Amino acid sequence: MKISAPRGTSDVLPQDSYKWHYIEMAARRIAATFGYKEIRTPIFEHTELFTRGIGKGSDIVRKEMYTFEDKKGRSMTLRPEGTATVMRSVLQNNLYLKSPLKLFYLGPFFRYERPQEGRFRQFNQFGLEAIGLDDASIDAEIILAACSLFTSLDLKHLQVQLNSLGCSSCRPKYREALISFFDSRIDKLCSDCQERFKVNPLRILDCKNPDCKNIADSAPSTLEFLCESCKNDFLDLEQILKIYEIDFTINPKIVRGLDYYTKTVFEITSGQLGSQDAICGGGRYNGLAEEIGGKSIPAVGFAAGIERLLALMQKTGSFSGIPVEPRVFVISIEDSCRLKALEILYALRKNGIHSEFSYGKKNIKKILGSLGEGTEFVYIIGSDELAAGTISVKNMKTKCQVEIPALDAVNFISRGNL
């Protein structure tokens, strides 16, 4: 039986990999513009990091983690998200001593969930994390950085949805209000939400079940229970976002799917992705460091799914990258010219010029017809050129063709003649 890729995973084929490079390069440019430096963490961590950091009551921990025992019986988990792994590294390596700390990550993550459009079991994310500051201005910077990334990718008509979950002072009162609201409606909730009611009733607001969503629409708003400090921070954030010319909508039902969030939470969505419409989400997580055994450290961040960005860019036609093609294609017409052609190919590559070779193919018409739009020049070497010490050069854009000395093969490209 033929072996295929596991369900919920996919191969990035050579004809598509340039699209990934395009997005990844844009992400790295945004990180550099805003002063964020890359951090790379292990793909698997001790399971306890996620059960304590994300929360035992979250769907990720309860249902979606890839967990296994190593050869010494220790429980390990493939990382389902990036923030907890980054904070673990920050604490372990004492990076927080140089606050504020601005980090970014880019790589694969894993969740066992039902595959569908925009949702995979192995997926890739780009994320920013700002650690050490408890200020609305850094929350706004995180949101601005996300919006700037999407603008650079020519994505339009996105919606920024904003909410505040409050802090440790005001959140308990909101929790009590939710318990009181859902208690009389518990029998109408799905089985998952009945379990969430016992562990963390806030998670009910994030349920995708239509019946639960209808009930949750009438639930009390987090904004009604914010303390004065949280209210002021939220108003400050709104004012800064207006200065940054970011249109946003207040959505009290935005709670995110991870238990570590406090105060600011947000999502950026597109109406063109169906039910899985979020391309980015994030917020503040001031209590995470303590949950995983460290000191109290304020922090805020976001993560954007690369696969969802790709899907959206292809649907909207905003993708403007082109495949990487050789700038020069070298053709040897006869076997007697092969060594000279390879010598010229070597000289081009030695000087950093992306070049390719005909490798035994002799039919010039077929070769020219197979070249991509990124190829600028074709170097043709036959017996006549070999005897004369020349190269026949064809410009693939202008269709002009000239003879140049073979010794001028590299300098000709550098000058950009023809």
Side-chain angles (χ1 to χ4, degrees):
M1 185 179 71
K2 185 170 67 175
I3 299 175
S4 58
R7 186 167 183 252
T9 68
S10 61
D11 301 309
V12 179
L13 302 179
Q15 63 264 30
D16 294 320
S17 60
Y18 76 97
K19 300 175 183 178
W20 288 72
H21 297 160
Y22 183 80
I23 293 177
E24 290 165 359
M25 288 173 63
R28 291 181 180 278
R29 283 195 300 269
I30 289 299
T33 298
F34 284 80
Y36 288 74
K37 297 180 179 180
E38 185 174 14
I39 184 170
R40 301 190 184 194
T41 61
I43 286 179
F44 65 94
E45 300 264 6
H46 292 284
T47 302
E48 186 183 13
L49 172 66
F50 303 115
T51 56
R52 289 171 59 182
I54 298 174
K56 291 183 179 179
S58 66
D59 283 357
I60 293 175
V61 171
R62 290 173 57 235
K63 302 177 181 180
E64 299 171 3
M65 295 201 312
Y66 279 93
T67 298
F68 60 95
E69 285 191 354
D70 68 9
K71 292 185 176 181
K72 290 191 175 181
R74 293 168 296 202
S75 182
M76 301 289 176
T77 296
L78 296 179
R79 59 186 189 187
E81 60 93 45
T83 301
T85 65
V86 169
M87 185 58 80
R88 190 270 310 150
S89 180
V90 167
L91 293 173
Q92 182 176 342
N93 296 287
N94 296 320
L95 300 182
Y96 60 87
L97 298 177
K98 296 182 180 179
S99 177
L101 183 64
K102 299 168 77 171
L103 305 170
F104 83 89
Y105 60 84
L106 182 61
F109 298 86
F110 307 86
R111 294 184 191 177
Y112 188 86
E113 52 189 351
R114 185 171 64 86
Q116 53 188 294
E117 184 178 19
R119 189 179 287 272
F120 302 91
R121 290 178 176 174
Q122 177 177 319
F123 56 98
N124 292 266
Q125 287 187 337
F126 165 69
L128 298 186
E129 311 289 358
I131 298 168
L133 294 174
D134 193 2
D135 189 296
S137 62
I138 198 70
D139 296 33
E141 177 179 289
I142 285 288
I143 296 172
L144 176 61
C147 292
S148 298
L149 171 61
F150 305 142
T151 298
S152 74
L153 295 174
D154 199 28
L155 293 173
K156 301 179 176 67
H157 311 300
L158 303 179
Q159 295 83 45
V160 178
Q161 301 186 52
L162 195 64
N163 191 26
S164 175
L165 299 179
C167 64
S168 57
S169 297
C170 51
R171 200 159 169 175
K173 295 178 182 178
Y174 180 58
R175 178 187 170 90
E176 291 175 10
L178 281 182
I179 291 173
S180 176
F181 174 82
F182 286 118
D183 187 44
S184 60
R185 300 165 174 84
I186 190 73
D187 294 337
K188 298 179 181 178
L189 298 175
C190 69
S191 58
D192 283 339
C193 281
Q194 290 178 10
E195 184 64 29
R196 291 170 184 141
F197 177 80
K198 302 173 187 175
V199 180
N200 184 356
L202 196 67
R203 295 273 68 81
I204 300 174
L205 302 178
D206 201 40
C207 183
K208 303 301 185 286
N209 182 297
D211 293 333
C212 296
K213 284 177 69 71
N214 288 336
I215 295 172
D217 284 342
S218 302
S221 164
T222 60
L223 302 178
E224 299 170 15
F225 293 83
L226 296 182
C227 63
E228 285 303 310
S229 177
C230 288
K231 283 181 183 177
N232 292 334
D233 286 345
F234 198 55
L235 288 173
D236 192 19
L237 174 59
E238 292 181 56
Q239 291 175 335
I240 298 170
L241 291 178
K242 289 174 182 177
I243 291 173
Y244 289 163
E245 300 181 315
I246 294 176
D247 292 328
F248 59 89
T249 302
I250 305 298
N251 183 352
K253 297 301 182 289
I254 297 292
V255 296
R256 305 292 298 145
L258 306 167
D259 285 357
Y260 54 58
Y261 282 115
T262 59
K263 301 176 75 172
T264 302
V265 287
F266 70 94
E267 288 184 356
I268 300 178
T269 61
S270 168
Q272 296 176 292
L273 282 177
S275 60
Q276 301 298 329
D277 60 351
I279 59 171
C280 167
R284 182 162 284 282
Y285 48 96
N286 289 354
L288 176 59
E290 283 185 287
E291 287 293 335
I292 61 174
K295 58 177 289 185
S296 178
I297 304 174
V300 62
F302 83 82
I306 305 298
E307 286 86 352
R308 292 194 189 180
L309 286 176
L310 276 169
L312 181 58
M313 292 173 71
Q314 290 169 340
K315 280 189 176 183
T316 59
S318 58
F319 191 83
S320 59
I322 61 172
V324 177
E325 302 285 353
R327 190 177 180 194
V328 181
F329 199 96
V330 180
I331 301 174
S332 169
I333 298 178
E334 289 102 10
D335 288 340
S336 60
C337 310
R338 177 170 163 270
L339 292 180
K340 186 62 179 180
L342 289 172
E343 180 184 319
I344 291 170
L345 178 72
Y346 172 65
L348 291 166
R349 289 175 171 174
K350 189 177 179 180
N351 284 273
I353 299 169
H354 184 187
S355 310
E356 193 51 87
F357 185 56
S358 55
Y359 293 110
K361 296 179 182 178
K362 304 294 193 297
N363 190 315
I364 295 180
K365 188 175 181 180
K366 285 186 178 180
I367 293 173
L368 296 180
S370 68
L371 298 180
E373 60 182 288
T375 300
E376 297 180 42
F377 302 101
V378 174
Y379 281 9
I380 304 169
I381 304 170
S383 56
D384 292 342
E385 287 82 6
L386 183 64
T390 62
I391 304 169
S392 181
V393 180
K394 183 179 180 68
N395 186 312
M396 295 303 293
K397 292 181 172 58
T398 66
K399 306 306 178 185
C400 294
Q401 191 160 334
V402 297
E403 296 283 325
I404 67 168
L407 293 174
D408 204 25
V410 173
N411 291 334
F412 178 84
I413 299 300
S414 301
R415 291 196 303 268
N417 290 335
L418 196 63

